[in-house]
């Protein structure tokens, strides 16, 4: 089945540790995105990538890093520099350059910093 | 400053009645809008979209209305069903390349049996 897979679904981290969230898609989409959701807020864009080996910062990129070495994969690293990392993280993909298309989301990863 | 606003954090509607979810935006460059539905601990799923060249788009029980002069859109669900109970996000884009959407904070809809 085509779709987006995020792992792990739940993750606990101690303060000061880096953690990497996985996002894989088999929809053959060029564009991939990472969003963060906090209670009472909309989805805020962390990073996005329109093509392999290229990515741009979103609205809240500080304390995060990404890579896009393969079309199918867009992992997100939450570094120790991220001051408030506890949140629900959502990965999405879409057809780059296709105005009028929607984003397809994974099921999310909930990160809790202890 | 929120560019996309959903001023009602929650809404309760009786089963069979109409649900109206509202969304306001501030950026006049936005030209494409989507509604997503989200259940707890799941990713959002696409519901319906509208481009700025239209003022209405309908898909089954779901209709989205766009009022560009008022920078306002609304989602109507008729008739509402208990399975519609979820958080609904409005999203807007002004991007001619790619899909860099700005999301609203969401409205939690509860459809009561």
């Amino acid at each position: 089945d085509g779709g987006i897979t995020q792992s792990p679904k739940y993750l606990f981290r101690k303060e000061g540790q880096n953690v990497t969230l996985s996002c894989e898609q088999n929809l053959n989409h060029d564009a991939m995105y990472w969003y963060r959701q906090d209670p009472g807020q909309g989805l805020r864009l962390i990073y996005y990538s329109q093509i392999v080996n290229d990515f741009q910062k979103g609205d809240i990129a500080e304390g995060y890093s990404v890579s896009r070495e393969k079309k199918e994969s867009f992992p997100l690293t939450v570094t120790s520099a991220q001051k408030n990392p506890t949140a629900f993280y959502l990965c999405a993909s879409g057809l780059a350059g296709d105005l009028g298309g929607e984003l397809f989301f994974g099921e999310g990863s909930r990160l809790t910093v202890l | 400053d929120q560019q996309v606003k959903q001023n009602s954090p929650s809404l309760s509607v009786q089963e069979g009645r109409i649900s109206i979810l509202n969304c306001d935006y501030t950026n006049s460059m936005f030209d494409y809008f989507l509604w997503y539905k989200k259940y707890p601990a799941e990713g959002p799923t696409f519901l319906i979209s509208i481009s700025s060249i239209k003022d209405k788009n309908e898909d089954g029980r779901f209709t989205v209305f766009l009022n560009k002069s008022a920078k306002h859109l609304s989602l109507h669900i008729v008739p509402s069903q208990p399975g519609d109970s979820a958080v609904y996000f409005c999203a807007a884009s002004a991007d001619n390349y790619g899909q860099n959407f700005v999301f609203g904070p969401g409205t939690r809809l509860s459809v009561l049996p």
Side-chain angles (χ1 to χ4, degrees):
Chain A
D1 272 8
I4 301 179
T5 303
Q6 287 186 242
S7 63
K9 198 171 175 75
Y10 298 96
L11 186 61
F12 297 88
R13 185 195 94 178
K14 291 182 181 178
E15 275 193 28
Q17 287 181 336
N18 291 357
V19 63
T20 297
L21 307 179
S22 168
C23 178
E24 304 276 332
Q25 54 100 359
N26 60 4
L27 299 167
N28 200 32
H29 286 161
D30 288 311
M32 296 187 74
Y33 306 78
W34 274 104
Y35 288 90
R36 168 182 171 141
Q37 185 189 12
D38 294 284
Q41 296 198 40
L43 308 182
R44 292 184 292 165
L45 183 63
I46 304 172
Y47 267 99
Y48 65 100
S49 168
Q50 303 283 11
I51 197 169
V52 174
N53 291 324
D54 188 45
F55 48 83
Q56 283 79 40
K57 293 182 179 180
D59 300 320
I60 55 165
E62 186 175 349
Y64 299 97
S65 66
V66 292
S67 63
R68 188 85 188 277
E69 296 175 5
K70 297 187 300 181
K71 187 175 185 177
E72 303 78 21
S73 178
F74 191 41
L76 173 75
T77 297
V78 185
T79 75
S80 56
Q82 167 50 234
K83 301 214 181 317
N84 187 18
T86 294
F88 189 57
Y89 291 88
L90 285 160
C91 179
S93 71
L95 295 169
D98 179 14
L99 184 64
E102 74 266 23
L103 298 181
F104 295 80
F105 284 86
E107 297 218 330
S109 295
R110 182 166 297 281
L111 172 64
T112 302
V113 174
L114 305 172
Chain B
D1 181 36
Q2 278 189 335
Q3 296 189 70
V4 178
K5 303 176 185 180
Q6 294 176 258
N7 292 322
S8 297
S10 62
L11 175 68
S12 291
V13 169
Q14 210 68 34
E15 181 179 4
R17 306 294 291 267
I18 184 171
S19 295
I20 300 176
L21 297 100
N22 293 305
C23 177
D24 297 286
Y25 59 95
T26 57
N27 188 342
S28 57
M29 297 299 291
F30 286 149
D31 55 10
Y32 186 62
F33 306 88
L34 297 88
W35 284 94
Y36 280 87
K37 174 180 176 179
K38 184 181 180 300
Y39 293 116
E42 292 184 11
T45 54
F46 170 74
L47 206 52
I48 193 169
S49 65
I50 189 167
S51 74
S52 58
I53 61 173
K54 292 186 169 185
D55 53 20
K56 176 182 173 181
N57 189 25
E58 193 171 350
D59 183 2
R61 296 186 298 114
F62 302 92
T63 303
V64 56
F65 295 93
L66 175 62
N67 182 334
K68 290 186 287 296
S69 60
K71 296 193 184 68
H72 176 84
L73 63 156
S74 61
L75 174 68
H76 293 211
I77 306 173
V78 184
S80 301
Q81 299 174 353
D84 295 328
S85 297
V87 176
Y88 289 79
F89 290 99
C90 169
S93 172
D95 199 353
N96 286 327
Y97 180 79
Q99 300 152 309
N100 295 337
F101 291 101
V102 178
F103 284 81
T107 296
R108 181 177 301 279
L109 174 65
S110 299
V111 179
L112 310 172

